[in-house]
Amino acid sequence: MRKTTNISPVRTLMKLTLFSFLLIFPASISAQQTSLSILTQKASELGIDESHITRLQERAKANGISGDQLAEILEPAVTLAEGDLPFDMILEKTSEGLAKKVPSHVLLNVLQGLQEATQQSVNIVDPWMQKSGVQNMLERTESEESVQQFRNNLLKSTGRALNQGLTEQSVTDFMNELNNDEILSKINANEIVTSLTILPDLPTSSDNPELSGKLIIQSIKGGFKSADLQKLPSAMQMAQSRGQLPVGNIVNGIFQQLEIGAPATNILQGLFDGKIGGPPAGVPGRPGNPIDGSGNG
């Protein structure tokens, strides 16, 4: 008699399951690659540097990020590029996040937030740029090509401010304050971008963005240029640290210095030294006395 071989139903099921997996797995990988390939092709067509995308792919692969995950991570930059909006800050954040091995879902949330804030900034920037005073300033100081770059820089700075918690209304109010003949006659496009860039960084902005805006406006009127404005947030933070004073005192001290015509360099040095924001001028041995043109207190 021939010996009958009994095949276990469980073993048969396991084999079928493994066979199905082997059939499906390559298809799944192929689908991921196709999704990513389509997105990277679109990115290239929209002007996103191919070498940058390649570096991001290599870093993502080293971090164990799948093709589908990387496609999701790149989507915010591609979406902005499709809308003719600046996307380089998204790529910078992507590169930074991958370098720090930030979990893909956390990185994606950050990038989507920045994308939404940049899109929202269009509602502030484009109407502001159409104002007659701004148009006159741009015609006087900028070329047609630099006007487009100015818009991109404004969108990035505005998007950053919104992403850091400032409201659309507070940023709009500040930009309307900048639309002033006295201000626009003193500054150029670069200084406008700088003043908007530092707005969320001032220590007063989280509680009182209106005061921050007023401080920037008065500083511009007092002769602060782009390089001076860039130093203002860190100078105020140093004054807080060294002088152990409330930020409101420091702001009042800056206003006092601006009123007496102290140069921007001297005001900044006084802040870094912790000598602005103390009791009223004239109190012996305490910070807060006016700084004269020589820098002496």
mmCIF file of all heavy atoms in Angstrom, residues 218-250:
data_model
loop_
_atom_site.group_PDB
_atom_site.id
_atom_site.type_symbol
_atom_site.label_atom_id
_atom_site.label_comp_id
_atom_site.label_asym_id
_atom_site.label_seq_id
_atom_site.Cartn_x
_atom_site.Cartn_y
_atom_site.Cartn_z
ATOM 1 N N GLN A 218 9.475 103.301 16.872
ATOM 2 C CA GLN A 218 10.231 104.406 17.466
ATOM 3 C C GLN A 218 11.733 104.224 17.249
ATOM 4 O O GLN A 218 12.463 105.199 17.080
ATOM 5 C CB GLN A 218 9.917 104.518 18.961
ATOM 6 C CG GLN A 218 8.497 104.951 19.275
ATOM 7 C CD GLN A 218 8.134 106.271 18.613
ATOM 8 O OE1 GLN A 218 8.907 107.228 18.639
ATOM 9 N NE2 GLN A 218 6.953 106.326 18.005
ATOM 10 N N SER A 219 12.194 102.983 17.245
ATOM 11 C CA SER A 219 13.615 102.720 16.994
ATOM 12 C C SER A 219 13.994 103.112 15.573
ATOM 13 O O SER A 219 15.063 103.691 15.346
ATOM 14 C CB SER A 219 13.931 101.235 17.237
ATOM 15 O OG SER A 219 13.701 100.884 18.586
ATOM 16 N N ILE A 220 13.118 102.792 14.619
ATOM 17 C CA ILE A 220 13.374 103.186 13.226
ATOM 18 C C ILE A 220 13.418 104.707 13.110
ATOM 19 O O ILE A 220 14.308 105.276 12.472
ATOM 20 C CB ILE A 220 12.306 102.595 12.294
ATOM 21 C CG1 ILE A 220 12.442 101.073 12.227
ATOM 22 C CG2 ILE A 220 12.401 103.202 10.893
ATOM 23 C CD1 ILE A 220 11.295 100.378 11.519
ATOM 24 N N LYS A 221 12.450 105.372 13.747
ATOM 25 C CA LYS A 221 12.435 106.838 13.724
ATOM 26 C C LYS A 221 13.689 107.414 14.366
ATOM 27 O O LYS A 221 14.165 108.493 13.989
ATOM 28 C CB LYS A 221 11.194 107.361 14.455
ATOM 29 C CG LYS A 221 9.883 107.132 13.715
ATOM 30 C CD LYS A 221 8.705 107.702 14.492
ATOM 31 C CE LYS A 221 7.392 107.520 13.747
ATOM 32 N NZ LYS A 221 6.227 108.054 14.507
ATOM 33 N N GLY A 222 14.232 106.676 15.340
ATOM 34 C CA GLY A 222 15.437 107.133 16.027
ATOM 35 C C GLY A 222 16.726 106.789 15.313
ATOM 36 O O GLY A 222 17.811 107.059 15.841
ATOM 37 N N GLY A 223 16.624 106.179 14.139
ATOM 38 C CA GLY A 223 17.826 105.950 13.341
ATOM 39 C C GLY A 223 18.320 104.517 13.308
ATOM 40 O O GLY A 223 19.395 104.246 12.744
ATOM 41 N N PHE A 224 17.598 103.560 13.892
ATOM 42 C CA PHE A 224 18.013 102.161 13.832
ATOM 43 C C PHE A 224 17.943 101.656 12.388
ATOM 44 O O PHE A 224 16.933 101.832 11.712
ATOM 45 C CB PHE A 224 17.118 101.289 14.702
ATOM 46 C CG PHE A 224 17.501 101.232 16.148
ATOM 47 C CD1 PHE A 224 17.572 102.382 16.923
ATOM 48 C CD2 PHE A 224 17.801 100.015 16.755
ATOM 49 C CE1 PHE A 224 17.910 102.327 18.263
ATOM 50 C CE2 PHE A 224 18.148 99.946 18.099
ATOM 51 C CZ PHE A 224 18.213 101.110 18.859
ATOM 52 N N LYS A 225 19.017 101.037 11.947
ATOM 53 C CA LYS A 225 19.054 100.395 10.631
ATOM 54 C C LYS A 225 18.899 98.881 10.814
ATOM 55 O O LYS A 225 18.768 98.378 11.924
ATOM 56 C CB LYS A 225 20.362 100.739 9.910
ATOM 57 C CG LYS A 225 20.554 102.227 9.670
ATOM 58 C CD LYS A 225 19.422 102.814 8.847
ATOM 59 C CE LYS A 225 19.617 104.294 8.559
ATOM 60 N NZ LYS A 225 18.469 104.878 7.829
ATOM 61 N N SER A 226 18.957 98.150 9.696
ATOM 62 C CA SER A 226 18.697 96.719 9.739
ATOM 63 C C SER A 226 19.615 95.987 10.721
ATOM 64 O O SER A 226 19.164 95.168 11.523
ATOM 65 C CB SER A 226 18.862 96.121 8.332
ATOM 66 O OG SER A 226 18.498 94.762 8.329
ATOM 67 N N ALA A 227 20.902 96.279 10.682
ATOM 68 C CA ALA A 227 21.859 95.605 11.567
ATOM 69 C C ALA A 227 21.561 95.910 13.034
ATOM 70 O O ALA A 227 21.734 95.045 13.899
ATOM 71 C CB ALA A 227 23.280 96.021 11.216
ATOM 72 N N ASP A 228 21.125 97.151 13.312
ATOM 73 C CA ASP A 228 20.784 97.520 14.694
ATOM 74 C C ASP A 228 19.528 96.778 15.159
ATOM 75 O O ASP A 228 19.469 96.280 16.289
ATOM 76 C CB ASP A 228 20.552 99.033 14.794
ATOM 77 C CG ASP A 228 21.725 99.850 14.286
ATOM 78 O OD1 ASP A 228 22.863 99.518 14.645
ATOM 79 O OD2 ASP A 228 21.490 100.810 13.532
ATOM 80 N N LEU A 229 18.526 96.736 14.286
ATOM 81 C CA LEU A 229 17.273 96.061 14.635
ATOM 82 C C LEU A 229 17.495 94.580 14.920
ATOM 83 O O LEU A 229 16.888 94.013 15.829
ATOM 84 C CB LEU A 229 16.253 96.227 13.508
ATOM 85 C CG LEU A 229 15.714 97.647 13.278
ATOM 86 C CD1 LEU A 229 14.934 97.717 11.967
ATOM 87 C CD2 LEU A 229 14.834 98.097 14.439
ATOM 88 N N GLN A 230 18.390 93.953 14.158
ATOM 89 C CA GLN A 230 18.662 92.531 14.354
ATOM 90 C C GLN A 230 19.211 92.249 15.751
ATOM 91 O O GLN A 230 18.985 91.174 16.312
ATOM 92 C CB GLN A 230 19.654 92.040 13.299
ATOM 93 C CG GLN A 230 19.056 91.939 11.908
ATOM 94 C CD GLN A 230 20.098 91.624 10.847
ATOM 95 O OE1 GLN A 230 21.293 91.507 11.148
ATOM 96 N NE2 GLN A 230 19.663 91.495 9.610
ATOM 97 N N LYS A 231 19.922 93.209 16.324
ATOM 98 C CA LYS A 231 20.531 93.017 17.649
ATOM 99 C C LYS A 231 19.577 93.332 18.796
ATOM 100 O O LYS A 231 19.869 92.990 19.950
ATOM 101 C CB LYS A 231 21.770 93.909 17.779
ATOM 102 C CG LYS A 231 22.886 93.576 16.802
ATOM 103 C CD LYS A 231 24.000 94.614 16.867
ATOM 104 C CE LYS A 231 25.068 94.345 15.827
ATOM 105 N NZ LYS A 231 26.091 95.423 15.793
ATOM 106 N N LEU A 232 18.466 93.990 18.489
ATOM 107 C CA LEU A 232 17.583 94.477 19.548
ATOM 108 C C LEU A 232 17.020 93.370 20.441
ATOM 109 O O LEU A 232 17.043 93.508 21.675
ATOM 110 C CB LEU A 232 16.459 95.314 18.930
ATOM 111 C CG LEU A 232 15.571 96.094 19.907
ATOM 112 C CD1 LEU A 232 16.393 97.018 20.796
ATOM 113 C CD2 LEU A 232 14.521 96.906 19.124
ATOM 114 N N PRO A 233 16.504 92.248 19.899
ATOM 115 C CA PRO A 233 15.957 91.210 20.793
ATOM 116 C C PRO A 233 16.994 90.657 21.776
ATOM 117 O O PRO A 233 16.719 90.552 22.975
ATOM 118 C CB PRO A 233 15.480 90.124 19.821
ATOM 119 C CG PRO A 233 15.202 90.848 18.549
ATOM 120 C CD PRO A 233 16.258 91.909 18.477
ATOM 121 N N SER A 234 18.194 90.312 21.283
ATOM 122 C CA SER A 234 19.213 89.757 22.185
ATOM 123 C C SER A 234 19.715 90.803 23.165
ATOM 124 O O SER A 234 20.028 90.484 24.323
ATOM 125 C CB SER A 234 20.378 89.178 21.381
ATOM 126 O OG SER A 234 20.969 90.162 20.548
ATOM 127 N N ALA A 235 19.760 92.078 22.738
ATOM 128 C CA ALA A 235 20.196 93.141 23.645
ATOM 129 C C ALA A 235 19.202 93.323 24.786
ATOM 130 O O ALA A 235 19.587 93.494 25.952
ATOM 131 C CB ALA A 235 20.361 94.455 22.865
ATOM 132 N N MET A 236 17.904 93.258 24.466
ATOM 133 C CA MET A 236 16.887 93.385 25.521
ATOM 134 C C MET A 236 16.923 92.199 26.475
ATOM 135 O O MET A 236 16.761 92.353 27.688
ATOM 136 C CB MET A 236 15.506 93.521 24.877
ATOM 137 C CG MET A 236 15.285 94.846 24.162
ATOM 138 S SD MET A 236 13.641 94.959 23.390
ATOM 139 C CE MET A 236 12.593 94.998 24.854
ATOM 140 N N GLN A 237 17.156 91.009 25.924
ATOM 141 C CA GLN A 237 17.251 89.824 26.785
ATOM 142 C C GLN A 237 18.451 89.919 27.717
ATOM 143 O O GLN A 237 18.381 89.536 28.890
ATOM 144 C CB GLN A 237 17.334 88.572 25.914
ATOM 145 C CG GLN A 237 16.027 88.250 25.205
ATOM 146 C CD GLN A 237 16.201 87.285 24.040
ATOM 147 O OE1 GLN A 237 17.290 86.735 23.831
ATOM 148 N NE2 GLN A 237 15.142 87.086 23.262
ATOM 149 N N MET A 238 19.562 90.471 27.203
ATOM 150 C CA MET A 238 20.742 90.640 28.040
ATOM 151 C C MET A 238 20.487 91.670 29.132
ATOM 152 O O MET A 238 20.930 91.497 30.279
ATOM 153 C CB MET A 238 21.927 91.069 27.175
ATOM 154 C CG MET A 238 23.243 91.179 27.945
ATOM 155 S SD MET A 238 23.787 89.590 28.628
ATOM 156 C CE MET A 238 24.393 88.796 27.138
ATOM 157 N N ALA A 239 19.762 92.738 28.776
ATOM 158 C CA ALA A 239 19.439 93.762 29.777
ATOM 159 C C ALA A 239 18.580 93.165 30.890
ATOM 160 O O ALA A 239 18.771 93.479 32.067
ATOM 161 C CB ALA A 239 18.711 94.929 29.106
ATOM 162 N N GLN A 240 17.636 92.302 30.517
ATOM 163 C CA GLN A 240 16.815 91.619 31.521
ATOM 164 C C GLN A 240 17.678 90.765 32.452
ATOM 165 O O GLN A 240 17.513 90.760 33.667
ATOM 166 C CB GLN A 240 15.785 90.719 30.840
ATOM 167 C CG GLN A 240 14.506 91.397 30.415
ATOM 168 C CD GLN A 240 13.507 90.393 29.878
ATOM 169 O OE1 GLN A 240 13.662 89.874 28.778
ATOM 170 N NE2 GLN A 240 12.495 90.110 30.667
ATOM 171 N N SER A 241 18.597 90.038 31.836
ATOM 172 C CA SER A 241 19.430 89.116 32.602
ATOM 173 C C SER A 241 20.385 89.850 33.536
ATOM 174 O O SER A 241 20.510 89.508 34.713
ATOM 175 C CB SER A 241 20.214 88.219 31.631
ATOM 176 O OG SER A 241 21.115 87.397 32.308
ATOM 177 N N ARG A 242 21.047 90.864 33.008
ATOM 178 C CA ARG A 242 22.063 91.561 33.805
ATOM 179 C C ARG A 242 21.450 92.530 34.807
ATOM 180 O O ARG A 242 21.948 92.689 35.920
ATOM 181 C CB ARG A 242 23.013 92.324 32.883
ATOM 182 C CG ARG A 242 23.936 91.416 32.097
ATOM 183 C CD ARG A 242 25.108 92.173 31.533
ATOM 184 N NE ARG A 242 26.100 91.253 30.985
ATOM 185 C CZ ARG A 242 27.260 91.622 30.485
ATOM 186 N NH1 ARG A 242 27.585 92.920 30.465
ATOM 187 N NH2 ARG A 242 28.110 90.743 30.005
ATOM 188 N N GLY A 243 20.374 93.206 34.394
ATOM 189 C CA GLY A 243 19.784 94.209 35.270
ATOM 190 C C GLY A 243 18.736 93.659 36.218
ATOM 191 O O GLY A 243 18.333 94.342 37.156
ATOM 192 N N GLN A 244 18.287 92.407 35.954
ATOM 193 C CA GLN A 244 17.243 91.808 36.789
ATOM 194 C C GLN A 244 16.035 92.745 36.919
ATOM 195 O O GLN A 244 15.525 92.997 38.007
ATOM 196 C CB GLN A 244 17.799 91.471 38.178
ATOM 197 C CG GLN A 244 18.901 90.421 38.171
ATOM 198 C CD GLN A 244 18.407 89.061 37.698
ATOM 199 O OE1 GLN A 244 17.474 88.496 38.266
ATOM 200 N NE2 GLN A 244 19.029 88.516 36.657
ATOM 201 N N LEU A 245 15.617 93.275 35.753
ATOM 202 C CA LEU A 245 14.538 94.262 35.726
ATOM 203 C C LEU A 245 13.376 93.759 34.888
ATOM 204 O O LEU A 245 13.569 92.981 33.951
ATOM 205 C CB LEU A 245 15.039 95.583 35.143
ATOM 206 C CG LEU A 245 16.099 96.334 35.965
ATOM 207 C CD1 LEU A 245 16.766 97.393 35.113
ATOM 208 C CD2 LEU A 245 15.462 96.951 37.196
ATOM 209 N N PRO A 246 12.146 94.204 35.194
ATOM 210 C CA PRO A 246 10.999 93.862 34.343
ATOM 211 C C PRO A 246 11.201 94.421 32.941
ATOM 212 O O PRO A 246 11.795 95.496 32.765
ATOM 213 C CB PRO A 246 9.816 94.544 35.040
ATOM 214 C CG PRO A 246 10.272 94.806 36.435
ATOM 215 C CD PRO A 246 11.757 95.021 36.353
ATOM 216 N N VAL A 247 10.698 93.687 31.956
ATOM 217 C CA VAL A 247 10.905 94.117 30.573
ATOM 218 C C VAL A 247 10.262 95.474 30.305
ATOM 219 O O VAL A 247 10.754 96.257 29.481
ATOM 220 C CB VAL A 247 10.377 93.038 29.595
ATOM 221 C CG1 VAL A 247 8.861 92.933 29.652
ATOM 222 C CG2 VAL A 247 10.836 93.321 28.178
ATOM 223 N N GLY A 248 9.170 95.788 31.023
ATOM 224 C CA GLY A 248 8.535 97.095 30.839
ATOM 225 C C GLY A 248 9.480 98.231 31.192
ATOM 226 O O GLY A 248 9.491 99.284 30.529
ATOM 227 N N ASN A 249 10.285 98.061 32.237
ATOM 228 C CA ASN A 249 11.274 99.071 32.608
ATOM 229 C C ASN A 249 12.307 99.265 31.507
ATOM 230 O O ASN A 249 12.730 100.389 31.212
ATOM 231 C CB ASN A 249 11.995 98.651 33.895
ATOM 232 C CG ASN A 249 11.107 98.729 35.118
ATOM 233 O OD1 ASN A 249 9.920 98.441 35.036
ATOM 234 N ND2 ASN A 249 11.666 99.111 36.249
ATOM 235 N N ILE A 250 12.703 98.150 30.907
ATOM 236 C CA ILE A 250 13.717 98.220 29.846
ATOM 237 C C ILE A 250 13.167 98.957 28.636
ATOM 238 O O ILE A 250 13.845 99.797 28.043
ATOM 239 C CB ILE A 250 14.171 96.794 29.471
ATOM 240 C CG1 ILE A 250 14.903 96.163 30.662
ATOM 241 C CG2 ILE A 250 15.060 96.807 28.239
ATOM 242 C CD1 ILE A 250 15.152 94.695 30.532
#
